[in-house]
């Protein structure tokens, strides 16, 4: 298959590398609005040729949109206007806005809304790796609206990446990812700001920070260019979970203020239950 990747960063780059390695992609055409990223992707062997959007669509059988979700909302209808036999999929972290953008489009069936639940805090083509995706879920949304052959191609792509496909409606997807992905990023960004504000001795952070701190602020290293549009598109669900989170923080604060050590212990014991939920994966 000839593949076009639009957005040559961590996700698009990693998909291109793995699909080439597996022999699925015979040629990869790359599109990016940052010239430095297209050049880097070519240099790293992620893509075989730099294209503009029109040539990439004309040259390919499969088009992967892996730009930030704000760019995908603009790009997707333009891409669908130009496709014929091609399959189009996106990898965006939000789905409702994209599905809304192509509602009623005559080529809607060629588009599969997908979300691979794998990533890192790093971005750009240099972050792309073949050591990606394996064992994680890929979400496919509104599958009943897709042409059967296009859906089968998207399923095959993610199976080749070592992922398992799960199916849900776009609106449900956006609620669930607000809980298991988006809120973690907000808390990590806020935690990093808290520590940068309070601890003015940067050397103390450098010297004393160990695994606990590093694991909780890892996500604060993530790209604002990727995350701002996600928070914007998923505003309502994020505000809902953020309200709950703030009330949880208030409970911890109140226990400490009032020296209610018993209730504080109960709050932590309840939190420990997350271990049982996550351990079911092993
Ligand atoms: N990073 C993650 O953990 C992760 C995981 C799953 C899905 N996603 C989603 O996948 C997509 C890509 O994320 P990423 O982590 O690879 O981001 P990234 O920042 O590493 O790469 C995005 C690339 O898109 C390019 N780009 C921006 N606007 C563009 C436009 N208008 N046209 C063409 N290219 C454009 C950027 O220059 C960059 O090279 C996003 O929609 C994101 O929500 C990210
Ligand atoms: O592990 C990370 O660094 C990630 O941020 C990956 C992660 C997440 O788990 O929240 C981030 C965004 C996605 O859309 C999917 C996966």
């Amino acid at each position: 298959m000839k593949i076009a990747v639009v957005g040559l960063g961590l996700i698009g780059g990693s998909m291109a590398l793995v699909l080439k390695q597996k022999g699925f992609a015979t040629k990869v055409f790359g599109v990016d609005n940052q010239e430095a990223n297209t050049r880097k992707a070519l240099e790293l062997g992620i893509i075989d040729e730099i294209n503009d959007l029109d040539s990439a669509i004309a040259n390919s059988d499969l088009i992967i949109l892996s730009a930030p979700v704000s760019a995908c909302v603009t790009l997707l209808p333009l891409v669908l206007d130009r496709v014929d036999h091609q399959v189009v999929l996106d990898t965006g972290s939000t789905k409702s806005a994209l599905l809304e953008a192509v509602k009623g489009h005559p080529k809607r069936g060629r588009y599969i809304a997908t979300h691979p639940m794998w990533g890192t805090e790093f971005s750009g083509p240099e972050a792309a790796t073949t050591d990606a995706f394996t064992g994680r879920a890929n979400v496919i949304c509104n599958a009943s609206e897709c042409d059967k052959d296009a859906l089968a191609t998207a399923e095959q792509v993610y199976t080749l990446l070592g992922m398992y496909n799960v199916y849900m409606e776009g609106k449900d997807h956006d609620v669930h990812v607000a809980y298991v992905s988006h809120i973690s990023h907000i808390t990590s960004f806020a935690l990093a700001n808290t520590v940068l504000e309070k601890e003015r001795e940067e050397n103390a952070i450098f010297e004393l920070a160990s695994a606990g701190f590093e694991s909780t602020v890892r996500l604060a290293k993530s790209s604002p260019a990727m995350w701002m549009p996600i928070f914007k598109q998923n505003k309502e669900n994020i505000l809902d979970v953020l309200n709950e989170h703030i009330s949880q923080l208030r409970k911890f604060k109140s226990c400490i203020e009032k020296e209610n050590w018993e209730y504080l212990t109960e709050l932590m014991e309840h939190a420990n239950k997350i271990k049982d939920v996550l351990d079911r994966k092993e």
Side-chain angles (χ1 to χ4, degrees):
M1 267 216 176
K2 290 179 183 151
I3 297 187
V5 178
V6 184
L8 298 167
L10 170 74
I11 300 297
S14 300
M15 285 179 82
L17 285 175
V18 180
L19 292 174
K20 274 178 147 196
Q21 189 187 53
K22 304 264 177 190
F24 180 83
T26 51
K27 189 145 188 188
V28 179
F29 302 94
V31 183
D32 201 289
N33 69 348
Q34 300 295 315
E35 204 197 322
N37 287 356
T38 43
R39 265 190 280 111
K40 196 60 174 175
L42 191 64
E43 190 185 308
L44 293 170
I46 293 169
I47 59 170
D48 301 303
E49 210 177 281
I50 299 171
N51 273 185
D52 59 30
L53 187 64
D54 283 349
S55 320
I57 297 166
N59 284 335
S60 311
D61 307 300
L62 169 67
I63 298 138
I64 297 173
L65 295 182
S66 44
V69 291
S70 45
C72 287
V73 164
T74 312
L75 287 165
L76 181 59
L78 298 177
V79 171
L80 282 188
D81 288 344
R82 289 160 174 75
V83 301
D84 165 31
H85 70 288
Q86 296 96 324
V87 177
V88 184
L89 60 83
D90 82 290
T91 66
S93 305
T94 46
K95 294 271 83 81
S96 297
L98 269 160
L99 287 160
E100 193 56 36
V102 293
K103 212 174 173 181
H105 192 288
K107 301 279 179 54
R108 166 66 185 87
R110 307 311 297 160
Y111 165 60
I112 324 294
T114 73
H115 182 192
M117 294 306 298
W118 174 87
T120 71
E121 65 275 32
F122 305 117
S123 53
E126 296 92 338
T129 168
T130 51
D131 192 17
F133 306 116
T134 314
R136 299 286 178 184
N138 169 60
V139 189
I140 297 184
C141 293
N142 299 33
S144 63
E145 293 164 33
C146 310
D147 292 350
K148 283 207 167 64
D149 68 298
L151 179 61
T153 300
E155 288 169 333
Q156 188 190 2
V157 163
Y158 286 104
T159 306
L160 271 173
L161 297 180
M163 306 189 93
Y164 59 94
N165 292 310
V166 297
Y167 301 83
M168 62 183 77
E169 294 301 292
K171 288 213 175 327
D172 296 332
H173 164 276
D174 287 3
V175 171
H176 292 305
V177 292
Y179 301 161
V180 299
S181 173
H182 303 174
I183 185 70
S184 310
H185 284 78
I186 293 180
T187 57
S188 189
F189 284 126
L191 179 62
N193 282 344
T194 305
V195 175
L196 289 169
E197 187 62 32
K198 292 303 291 177
E199 181 53 275
R200 294 306 172 100
E201 289 177 42
E202 281 187 14
N203 207 36
I205 304 177
F206 180 74
E207 303 249 74
L208 303 182
S210 190
F213 183 70
E214 279 170 10
S215 64
T216 46
V217 291
R218 178 179 71 82
L219 297 176
K221 300 173 190 167
S222 302
S223 155
M226 175 188 141
W227 281 100
M228 190 278 279
I230 294 172
F231 298 151
K232 192 172 169 185
Q233 287 189 6
N234 209 16
K235 176 184 163 187
E236 297 305 328
N237 294 322
I238 289 171
L239 283 177
D240 179 46
V241 62
L242 203 46
N243 278 335
E244 175 60 31
H245 189 59
I246 291 165
S247 110
Q248 291 287 341
L249 286 175
R250 285 212 180 94
K251 280 188 203 171
F252 277 86
K253 183 179 175 216
S254 162
C255 284
I256 293 169
E257 262 170 3
K258 293 177 183 153
E259 303 197 345
N260 189 344
W261 310 123
E262 210 172 305
Y263 187 38
L264 183 67
T265 305
E266 271 175 41
L267 288 177
M268 290 187 284
E269 280 169 354
H270 187 261
N272 286 163
K273 291 189 179 143
I274 202 76
K275 181 177 185 304
D276 301 331
V277 177
L278 289 172
D279 285 354
R280 278 173 40 202
K281 282 192 168 183
E282 283 158 16

